Amino acid sequence: MKMLEAIPALPVTDLESSIAFYRDSLGFSVEYEEDGFAVLSWDEVRIHLWLANDERWRRVDRSAPVITGTESFIAGTGSCHIGMDGVDELHGRLEDLGILHPDAPLGDRPWGVREFAVIDPDNNLLTFYERIGS
């Protein structure tokens, strides 16, 4: 048995602005978009974005809550690690955009990677890393 691929699916509250962020700020390409779902890619990496904007959970009458799995509070709870070559170059390109995570600066980690993180408009966390050593 062998696993071949994993694709993060990140919940977002505004699909259009999220697509713009991933495309224009990070550099991903849009492969597909329809009905609250989008597929973005960069080389071999794929990210799925799905719309989590259902506000019915906020209703005052809590006796019969509506649970759909697309509640807006889910957005911003996702994260993923993206392996790459050239992590320093990407960091340099993103540094002035104000999207770097303040608690995850570029640096070498004891688990053998050089990494940094950014947050998307919904506060989903994306960590870009490059293997070092070995």
Side-chain angles (χ1 to χ4, degrees):
M1 182 180 338
K2 180 179 180 182
M3 293 189 196
L4 297 176
E5 188 173 33
I7 299 173
L10 303 174
V12 299
T13 57
D14 182 334
L15 190 62
E16 292 305 316
S17 69
S18 293
I19 288 172
F21 171 82
Y22 281 81
R23 181 189 61 228
D24 303 338
S25 296
L26 296 180
F28 281 83
S29 297
V30 179
E31 285 190 5
Y32 177 83
E33 177 192 355
E34 184 178 7
D35 296 330
F37 177 74
V39 177
L40 297 104
S41 66
W42 183 347
D43 295 328
E44 301 303 314
V45 172
R46 302 283 178 279
I47 292 179
H48 292 178
L49 301 178
W50 59 276
L51 193 56
N53 68 345
D54 192 335
E55 293 291 329
R56 291 179 288 178
W57 65 275
R58 291 184 183 267
R59 55 191 248 186
V60 176
D61 176 11
R62 299 268 184 204
S63 61
V66 177
I67 305 297
T68 63
T70 61
E71 291 81 17
S72 60
F73 65 81
I74 295 171
T77 63
S79 68
C80 65
H81 282 70
I82 300 171
M84 62 176 300
D85 291 326
V87 74
D88 286 276
E89 181 182 346
L90 179 62
H91 181 271
R93 192 168 61 82
L94 301 180
E95 201 165 18
D96 293 332
L97 298 180
I99 59 174
L100 298 178
H101 192 292
D103 297 328
L106 178 66
D108 296 347
R109 307 294 188 255
W111 48 91
V113 299
R114 182 166 178 78
E115 68 180 22
F116 72 95
V118 302
I119 50 175
D120 77 3
D122 285 290
N123 291 318
N124 291 306
L125 178 70
L126 294 99
T127 302
F128 295 94
Y129 73 92
E130 183 171 1
R131 296 203 183 280
I132 56 175
S134 75

